[in-house]
Amino acid sequence: PTANTNDLQDIKNGLLLLPTPNDVDDTLTWCASPDGKFNTKSTWKFLHHNATGKVPWFKLVWFSGTMPRYSFMMWLVVQSKLSTQDRIYKNTCGPLACGFCHKGIESYDHLFFQCSYTRFVWQDLMCRCGCQYPETTWNEFINWAINWTTVNWKTKDPQKLIPRLCLEAFV
């Protein structure tokens, strides 16, 4: 093909200087696969060789009976990727305050443990679900919820499903 820049023209000229191949046909070998053939599984393992499997919060976010919208939001929250004001504060000039109480900057800890309005709703919801959770930080709560899910919410019993749905709905 025609080279439309000097750099591409130099590469094309360099290719012409390479020795001509023998009568042997070229072959393609995928080194990441034991048999040398490309497949998705070996590619995934090659690219994610340090992956240890499922993340600890997998069952907290993804479970049978959940609503995809809630699972997606929960997925963002457990990875701390939700655009709370403490995350966008770096790029925004001007004062930012919680949309519920107007007292503190919006963060996970503020929304669930410090804001007077959401804390009241949160505590009432958790009480109705029969969940005794630690009132500390968001990260400690997520660790508690992961353990709680593993022990108490692993069946499809409606009494076990409702607290999980409430948690995701509230988030």
Side-chain angles (χ1 to χ4, degrees):
T2 306
N4 50 1
T5 66
N6 289 336
D7 291 335
L8 290 176
Q9 187 61 44
D10 290 342
I11 292 171
K12 188 175 178 183
N13 292 337
L15 290 174
L16 296 174
L17 299 175
L18 291 175
T20 56
N22 306 2
D23 291 336
V24 180
D25 291 335
D26 288 340
T27 59
L28 179 65
T29 304
W30 182 248
C31 296
S33 177
D35 62 0
K37 295 181 181 176
F38 175 83
N39 64 51
T40 307
K41 182 178 179 181
S42 65
T43 305
W44 176 265
K45 286 182 178 181
F46 178 76
L47 294 175
H48 297 90
H49 53 46
N50 292 332
T52 57
K54 291 182 184 175
V55 290
W57 44 260
F58 177 82
K59 291 183 180 180
L60 178 65
V61 175
W62 309 108
F63 56 92
S64 177
T66 188
M67 294 175 213
R69 176 186 310 173
Y70 294 166
S71 290
F72 178 73
M73 289 302 292
M74 192 70 175
W75 176 68
L76 288 174
V77 168
V78 297
Q79 296 185 88
S80 298
K81 299 297 182 188
L82 203 58
S83 293
T84 53
Q85 291 177 357
D86 63 331
R87 289 191 69 216
I88 62 174
Y89 181 73
K90 300 170 211 155
N91 304 323
T92 306
C93 58
L96 297 173
C98 172
F100 296 107
C101 69
H102 304 288
K103 292 180 183 173
I105 191 164
E106 181 184 276
S107 68
Y108 294 111
D109 290 335
H110 178 80
L111 284 174
F112 292 98
F113 302 110
Q114 297 164 0
C115 176
S116 56
Y117 179 78
T118 57
R119 182 178 176 167
F120 174 77
V121 176
W122 178 248
Q123 287 176 338
D124 185 55
L125 180 69
M126 291 284 99
C127 182
R128 288 175 189 247
C129 291
C131 299
Q132 298 296 324
Y133 66 95
E135 291 189 37
T136 53
T137 66
W138 176 251
N139 289 332
E140 288 178 11
F141 173 78
I142 287 297
N143 289 332
W144 170 85
I146 290 167
N147 292 331
W148 181 264
T149 301
T150 305
V151 174
N152 296 304
W153 293 341
K154 57 184 171 184
T155 65
K156 293 182 181 178
D157 179 18
Q159 290 180 342
K160 308 281 184 180
L161 182 62
I162 290 171
R164 294 173 82 181
L165 289 171
C166 287
L167 172 65
E168 284 193 341
F170 183 78
V171 167

